[in-house]
Each structure stands twice: as structure tokens, then as C-alpha cells.
Amino acid sequence: MKTDKVYFWDPYLKGIGQIMLQNNALTGLLFLIGILINSPLMAVAAVVAVLVGTLTAKVLKFNEDNINSGLYGFNATLVGVALIAFFEPTITIWISIIVLSAVSTLIMNFCLEKKIPVFTFPFIVLTWISLYVFHSVAPIPDAAPDYLEELIHYHPFSLLDYGLGFGEVIFQGSLISGVIFFIAVYMSSPTAALYGLFGALFGVIVAILLKDRIEDVKLGMFSFNAVLCAIVFSGPKKINGLYVVIAVLLSGITEEIMLRLDLPVLTFPFVMGTWLTLVIRDVLVKRFYPSTNIE
């Protein structure tokens, strides 16, 4: 059987692309460029993390198809970028990026073997642990992001909703980075990209309906999880739109609860919203309509 040729860079670039569920090396490259434009240091962390995560899988001889598809790279990449976003880049933090990137691969492999739809959960858990452990020993950057100046004339349905929604998926509060990320997804899957735009807008609407915390909306906090939910359930069938709406609603509710409890959100609302929607789809729908193709 003929298989697509695998280039040496595929596992690494696809590992970055898989952050938004895109098995595409060019998408990963554009993601990296988008990070580099906004934060060269985060781009370095992303490269280090995806190399460590992927090479760990290679050394341990994990499933080759999973390696070539980048499934061992995206959680590691997010861990690397997150630690630079939350902490000053000390030696301790760089060592942590290396160690936790490898650990994320071990967690991911376990979940793949058990067929658990884990998404970005390894990144979430490892980053939560890092925030708890390092909060008192590693300095946190105190400089406000420059891009906040762009929000002076913000209104709830501006282009920033979409740009920051895509950008904040990888901790990039930059409209330029967000646009690059959107283009990157579009080049891989136009349907996923357009659903992502819808998710960003709908996420903002959900935020406004839930509460009047416009500062959070300005930062893209209610868009990036919605973008991921929309991409997961994107597809050509009408039912896909319903799944997207359900997932974004559940994601928004989860995020609202976490913010009220002062918990670090990360992409947990996306994971929870997606898990619950999968339950609705795969359990309830199949039970009452067993002959229906719900994929």
C-alpha cells in the first residue's frame, strides 16, 4: 500500500500544528512564525519543547505513525510556551521545559494506548503543577503586554475577537500572530478555520451573556477555548454545527466557573467542553438513534 513520504521535519512541525488539531507541517511552520514574530523567546521554547517531546517518543520507540503525525509534540510545545509566558526564563524554568516536555510525551502515549481523547490535558496538568510549584520560587514577568494598547478603542465584535481568539491558543496576544494562525489552519482545513472564526465570535457572545467582564473578552480569554472547540467538531454535515454550539456553550460555562474560583484557565474549558459534547454525541445520540451516522 502506498504511503505518503515522511520528511525528517514532519514529526516536529506537525507536532506544533497539532495544537489546533492540524496534521500539517506547513501549518506548524506558520504557527512557529506567528510565535516568533510576537515573542522570539517563546519561539525558542516551542522549538526546544517539541524537539524534546518528539525525540522522547522516538527514543522510547513509541508508535511511528503517531510520531510522524506530531501527536507527541503539541502538548510539549504548549508546556514550553506556557512556562515562558508565566515565568522569567531562568535556568530552572528551561530545565523544567525539557523535563516536562518529556513527561508530556509519556502521558500522551499512555492516553493513546488506552484510546483516551486527551487533547491538551497533559499540558494543562503539567502547567498547573508548575504554577503551584514555581509560583514562589520563580519570578513572574510583571510587564504588561504591549498589545493592550491596541484595545483602547475596542468594541465587543471587533476583528480583535477573532485574531486574539486564534492567537491566545498559543499564548500570543497579538492580532498579527492570530491572523497568521488563522491562515495556517485555513491552509490545512478551510472548514476548520471558518468554524474557528465562528467559535471565536460565539465564545464572545457566550461571555457577554454570562457576565459583563469586558476586560477578559478583550484579552481573548473567551475566544481561544471556543476556537479549539469549534475546530474539533468542524465538518461538512449540519450536525457538526450543533456539536460546535454545544461545545462552545459548555466551554464558556466551565471557563466562567473557573474564573469565579480564581483558577488558572488554560485550555481546560476546551477539554471539558469537548469531553462533555463527546458524551452527548457518542452516548446519548447513539443510544436513541443507534442507526444514525453521527461522525
Side-chain angles (χ1 to χ4, degrees):
M1 186 173 92
K2 183 179 179 180
T3 58
D4 294 333
K5 182 176 180 180
V6 177
Y7 297 94
F8 77 90
W9 57 75
D10 279 349
Y12 311 102
L13 291 180
K14 287 183 178 182
I16 300 175
Q18 288 283 8
I19 291 174
M20 297 194 202
L21 295 92
Q22 302 306 305
N23 183 17
N24 187 294
L26 180 57
T27 297
L29 178 60
L30 289 175
F31 282 175
L32 188 59
I33 291 173
I35 300 170
L36 179 65
I37 289 174
N38 189 57
S39 173
L41 193 59
M42 286 187 182
V44 173
V47 171
V48 170
V50 75
L51 285 173
V52 171
T54 305
L55 289 174
T56 299
K58 287 178 174 288
V59 170
L60 296 178
K61 300 186 184 304
F62 290 158
N63 183 278
E64 187 175 357
D65 288 337
N66 290 338
I67 293 174
N68 293 334
S69 296
L71 295 182
Y72 296 109
F74 69 97
N75 276 291
T77 302
L78 285 171
V79 168
V81 175
L83 290 186
I84 295 299
F86 288 123
F87 303 103
E88 292 290 352
T90 62
I91 294 297
T92 300
I93 293 303
W94 284 108
I95 293 174
S96 298
I97 289 173
I98 293 172
V99 172
L100 295 181
S101 295
V103 173
S104 75
T105 293
L106 300 179
I107 298 174
M108 189 65 187
N109 187 66
F110 172 82
C111 293
L112 287 171
E113 289 183 343
K114 300 298 181 181
K115 301 187 184 303
I116 301 172
V118 70
F119 301 110
T120 58
F121 194 63
F123 145 71
I124 295 167
V125 171
L126 294 175
T127 303
W128 278 346
I129 293 173
S130 299
L131 289 171
Y132 178 79
V133 171
F134 294 129
H135 183 74
S136 60
V137 298
I140 300 175
D142 54 7
D146 293 336
Y147 70 85
L148 289 179
E149 295 298 324
E150 302 175 13
L151 302 175
I152 294 175
H153 303 294
Y154 173 86
H155 63 86
F157 300 102
S158 72
L159 180 63
L160 286 168
D161 293 331
Y162 312 132
L164 292 179
F166 274 85
E168 287 289 0
V169 172
I170 320 181
F171 296 91
Q172 304 307 303
S174 162
L175 180 58
I176 294 176
S177 296
V179 170
I180 292 174
F181 292 169
F182 168 77
I183 293 172
V185 176
Y186 189 89
M187 294 183 69
S188 173
S189 171
T191 300
L194 294 176
Y195 261 107
L197 280 181
F198 169 77
L201 173 60
F202 191 53
V204 170
I205 294 174
V206 170
I208 293 173
L209 291 176
L210 285 174
K211 62 174 171 36
D212 182 21
R213 190 184 293 189
I214 201 66
E215 291 302 318
D216 291 339
V217 179
K218 289 179 181 180
L219 295 173
M221 290 181 65
F222 285 94
S223 298
F224 71 93
N225 279 293
V227 167
L228 290 172
C229 287
I231 290 175
V232 167
F233 291 103
S234 63
K237 297 183 179 180
K238 293 179 181 179
I239 194 67
N240 292 112
L242 176 61
Y243 297 147
V244 168
V245 169
I246 293 172
V248 172
L249 279 172
L250 293 172
S251 172
I253 293 171
T254 302
E255 187 157 352
E256 168 69 10
I257 293 172
M258 294 183 72
L259 288 172
R260 287 182 180 273
L261 295 175
D262 198 27
L263 298 173
V265 173
L266 303 177
T267 55
F268 185 74
F270 149 64
V271 172
M272 180 56 69
T274 301
W275 280 344
L276 293 175
T277 305
L278 288 173
V279 170
I280 294 172
R281 188 194 72 174
D282 296 340
V283 176
L284 299 182
V285 176
K286 282 184 176 179
R287 177 174 297 177
F288 292 105
Y289 304 98
S291 62
T292 301
N293 181 5
I294 61 175
E295 297 299 330

